[in-house]
């Protein structure tokens, strides 16, 4: 085994003393470029050609890292602190440790020697390579407890899977639906939910006992829980502490081990559960979900003493009969610290006096049913709650809201009842520090302002609702530091001199202005883009972080003179126009936003604008102008873009940067619009047999834009329509819905050729849209594949770790050609490490070659 591990160092490889060993990759250099790759399409190379570029990139960047002056954090931080950081980088799957092994020999030794980093296993809904990898990584965890997540369906649902041989060590077990199932099934599909629970239950019944299980979780993303699938043959769970999203009934308590249970979900009516709870002495938290009536099982609290109940600390009650909480709330000197209840106003009036038995209550969440029924002379007897720190008052959302004929939503009775609620809170909830108010009927503004003045310890305030008209009155709320509003209405009625974070989610229908902000300490602002034209520099002199909600309306240009701004975000599913507008603004006027360092864009900008913006901004060499060093994007682009991009972000002038024409939209005309452009093979064997097969053009829009091969088929394609449209001229008179108005000029002036190029960018964008319109008549590509996630963005920095996930060409080539730390003859202690290296190499030989680097993991610093 030791003979298979390279004994040459990276330095020796860099100096050419030991060349690459894969002859097929060496032979794929310039001589074998396929004839169909030429001109702008040259950026779309065959997968193995792409592999050559990846390898060159890795070797060169690692060589630079060997001699750079960057400090290895493992050399300066205590190892324990560094390992804590690594836990966050790695996430819930120990497979993510593999790329980190290649950073340096020191990292290799520390990571492989830390068994706790190899205890998390995430078994996905993909073919069996993951299972094989699990086999190799399990020994690295030694005898430590395991945390296992299993997607359904997956290979791990077979009881012969290797992971179940370690059932005695599994402490935390989670079953979840695969992302594909979540996307394809409705969240209210009860049949699919029941099938999910059935498959989990049947699988667990293979085992007589789950001896080490402490937490069992059903992470299914349905809107409902199963009423109960815990039947008599459920395996013994002597150490079970928590069972999440798996609701028990009175008939199923006897089927599980409850002596150590600290958390559970139940779906039987609370009246029937009191007798079942008395033996569960360690129970701390219970969630009571919506339930039907159990006519066959009726219980009473007459024979139960309050001291027999467990010392609960938290209760979440979402059933139909909140008055069944009376017995629980009547326990004197209760240990309850957190209470969530869904109820109507009459039920609250009955239960409120019982809160006096909760001296330790810290968190109260009341969910009110809607619409509000009229109640004459409503008064709320709410006792003082001296320890209450978090108060949430929320109306249950029902659309549309049903109101009586001739009655306006939120007039009387809601206004009177809300006012009574606010009056009660003014005397009983004066110690609140976190306050959430969500009302779907209009808010009595005067009463709310009085309440906020009285709650003079509030630090975090979140308000959602419509404010009733009120006479002009401005109150000062100095304690609030974090403020979130559904619209700008409250800003006209209150001043927040110490607010540091502010969110204004929408533009109020009745307000056309953004009231002047008097918030000198404001550092973080999230603002709806419709309010962008009203934002002035003098309002936010020290603003550092700005998020545009639902970008549009020219919001990109507003930031030009916000020179304290360090981070700018576009929060929308695909704000491509706004991202391009910002890049063009900084390209033409690079002194804009002098402190700007990071951009978060939920879209891919046009690469020619982004690259030349970075070339201009990051190499000004002027004091006081911050280079842009961090980007967040929906995914990593192909290596031909990623390599120069990371160098630009690192302040290094790229050695190889594509010509501007190859960065533009026109560069992907052929791969995008020509249905005869070749696709990509699917495996190493297919590549060897026929390096350039004649396949129909494949690929999602985002992969083509990112210069990556992709095997996503068309969503639709009509060959006959394509042949009919092929000979027709393109209609340049079409109207682009994201029409980009041309900008003029630049300061300092751009070189003449660049000025001409970017002055014509608007015309090229219109031309692209005209081609897309013609193409869409006969064909449509999928917008994005799994490589691109518009919710969980990836980070690109100059010092990013170039390996990212294990399932990529880049990592494959690293394991195949770069050395792990050299070892002599393996001892008993390092045999697992040797087996790991060999298994990784074997996996490279058998795994499918992907068309480009599928970079989906985390980025970090390398030394």
């Amino acid at each position: 085994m030791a003979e298979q591990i390279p004994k040459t160092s990276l330095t020796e490889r860099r100096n050419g003393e030991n060349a690459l060993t894969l002859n097929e990759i060496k032979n794929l250099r310039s001589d074998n470029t396929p004839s169909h790759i030429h001109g702008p399409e040259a950026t779309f190379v065959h997968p193995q050609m792409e592999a050559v570029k990846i390898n060159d990139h890795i070797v060169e960047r690692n060589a630079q890292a060997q001699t750079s002056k960057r400090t290895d954090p493992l050399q300066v931080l205590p190892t324990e602190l560094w390992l804590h950081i690594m836990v966050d980088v790695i996430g819930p799957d120990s497979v993510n440790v593999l790329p980190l092994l290649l950073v340096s020999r020191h990292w290799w030794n520390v990571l492989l020697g830390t068994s706790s980093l190899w205890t998390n296993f995430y078994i996905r809904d993909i073919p069996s390579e993951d299972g094989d990898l699990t086999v190799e990584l399990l020994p690295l965890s030694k005898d430590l407890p395991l945390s296992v997540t299993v997607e359904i369906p997956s290979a791990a649902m077979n009881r012969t899977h290797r992971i179940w041989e370690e059932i005695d060590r599994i402490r935390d077990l989670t079953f979840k639906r695969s992302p594909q199932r979540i996307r394809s099934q409705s969240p209210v599909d009860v049949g699919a939910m029941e099938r999910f629970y059935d498959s989990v239950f049947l699988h667990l019944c293979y085992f007589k006992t789950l001896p080490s299980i402490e937490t069992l979780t059903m992470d299914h993303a349905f809107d409902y829980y199963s009423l109960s699938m815990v039947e008599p043959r459920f395996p013994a769970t002597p150490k079970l502490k928590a069972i999440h999203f798996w609701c028990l009934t009175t008939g199923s308590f006897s089927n599980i081990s409850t002596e150590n249970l600290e958390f559970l979900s139940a779906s039987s009516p609370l009246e029937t559960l009191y007798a079942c709870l008395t033996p569960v002495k360690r129970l701390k938290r219970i969630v009571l979900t919506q339930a039907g009536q159990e006519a066959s099982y009726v219980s009473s609290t007459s024979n139960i003493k309050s001291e027999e109940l467990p010392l609960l600390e938290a209760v979440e009650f979402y059933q139909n009969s909140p008055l069944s909480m009376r017995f629980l709330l009547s326990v004197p000197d209760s240990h309850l610290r957190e209470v969530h209840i869904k109820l109507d106003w009459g039920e609250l009036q009955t239960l409120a006096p019982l809160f006096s038995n909760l001296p330790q209550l810290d968190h109260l969440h009341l969910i009110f049913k809607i619409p509000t029924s009229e109640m004459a002379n409503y008064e709320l007897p709410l006792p003082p709650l001296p320890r209450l720190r978090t108060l949430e008052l929320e109306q249950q959302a029902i659309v549309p809201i049903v109101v009586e004929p001739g009655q306006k939503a939120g007039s009387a009775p809601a206004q009177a009842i809300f006012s009574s609620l606010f009056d009660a809170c003014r005397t009983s909830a004066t110690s609140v520090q976190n306050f959430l108010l969500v009302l779907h009927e209009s808010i009595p503004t005067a009463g709310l302002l009085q309440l906020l003045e009285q709650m003079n310890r509030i630090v975090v305030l979140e308000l959602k609702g419509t404010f009733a008209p009120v006479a002009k009155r401005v109150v000062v709320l100095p304690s609030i530091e974090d403020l979130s509003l559904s619209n700008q209405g409250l800003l006209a009625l209150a001043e927040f001199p110490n607010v540091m974070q502010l969110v204004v989610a929408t533009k109020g229908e009745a307000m056309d202005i953004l009231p002047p902000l008097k918030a000198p300490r404001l550092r973080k602002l999230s603002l709806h883009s419709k309010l962008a034209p009203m934002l002035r520099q003098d309002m936010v002199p020290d603003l550092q972080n700005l998020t545009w909600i639902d970008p549009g309306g020219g919001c990109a240009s507003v930031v030009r003179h916000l020179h304290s701004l360090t981070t700018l975000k576009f929060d929308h599913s695909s704000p491509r126009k706004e991202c391009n507008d910002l890049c063009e603004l900084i390209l033409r006027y690079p002194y804009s936003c002098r402190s700007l360092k990071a951009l978060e864009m939920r879209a891919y900008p046009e690469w020619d604008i982004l690259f030349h913006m970075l070339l201009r901004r990051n190499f000004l060499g002027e004091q006081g102008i911050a280079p842009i060093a961090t980007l967040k994007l929906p995914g990593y682009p192909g290596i031909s873009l990623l390599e120069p991009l990371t160098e630009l972000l690192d302040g290094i002038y790229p050695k190889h940067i594509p010509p501007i024409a190859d960065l533009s939209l026109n560069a992907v005309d052929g791969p995008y619009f020509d249905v005869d452009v070749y696709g990509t093979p699917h495996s190493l064997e297919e590549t060897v047999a026929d390096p350039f097969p004649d396949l129909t053009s494949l690929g999602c829009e985002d992969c083509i834009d990112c210069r990556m091969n992709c095997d996503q088929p068309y969503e639709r394609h009509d060959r006959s329509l394509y042949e009919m449209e092929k000979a027709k001229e393109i209609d340049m008179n079409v109207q682009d819905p994201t029409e980009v108005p041309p900008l003029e000029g630049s300061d300092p002036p751009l070189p003449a050729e660049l000025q001409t190029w970017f002055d014509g960018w608007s015309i090229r964008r219109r031309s692209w849209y005209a081609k897309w319109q013609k193409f869409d008549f006969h064909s449509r590509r999928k917008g994005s594949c799994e490589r691109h996630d518009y919710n969980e963005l990836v980070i690109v920095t100059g010092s990013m770790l170039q390996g990212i996930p294990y399932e990529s060409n880049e990592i494959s080539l690293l394991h195949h050609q770069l050395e792990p730390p050299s070892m002599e003859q393996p001892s008993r202690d390092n045999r697992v490490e040797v087996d790991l290296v060999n298994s990784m190499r074997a996996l490279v030989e058998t795994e499918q070659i992907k068309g480009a680097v599928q970079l989906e993991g985390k980025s970090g610093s390398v030394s």
Side-chain angles (χ1 to χ4, degrees), residues 633-689:
L633 299 169
Y636 294 95
I639 197 68
S640 62
L641 298 175
L642 184 62
E643 179 178 3
L645 182 59
T646 56
E647 290 172 333
L648 285 170
L649 295 171
D650 200 23
I652 301 172
Y653 198 89
K655 295 182 177 64
H656 308 288
I657 186 170
I660 194 168
D662 289 355
L663 292 170
S664 71
L665 274 174
N666 293 340
V668 295
D669 278 9
Y672 192 98
F673 298 121
D674 188 352
V675 298
D676 292 322
V677 171
Y678 297 137
T680 177
H682 298 280
S683 69
L684 184 62
E685 290 76 11
E686 288 178 305
T687 303
V688 174

Side-chain angles (χ1 to χ4, degrees), residues 318-333:
Y318 306 117
Q319 296 184 354
N320 285 328
S321 53
L323 294 183
S324 62
M325 289 274 292
R326 281 180 294 192
F327 181 69
L328 189 62
L329 296 177
S330 299
V331 177
D333 295 325

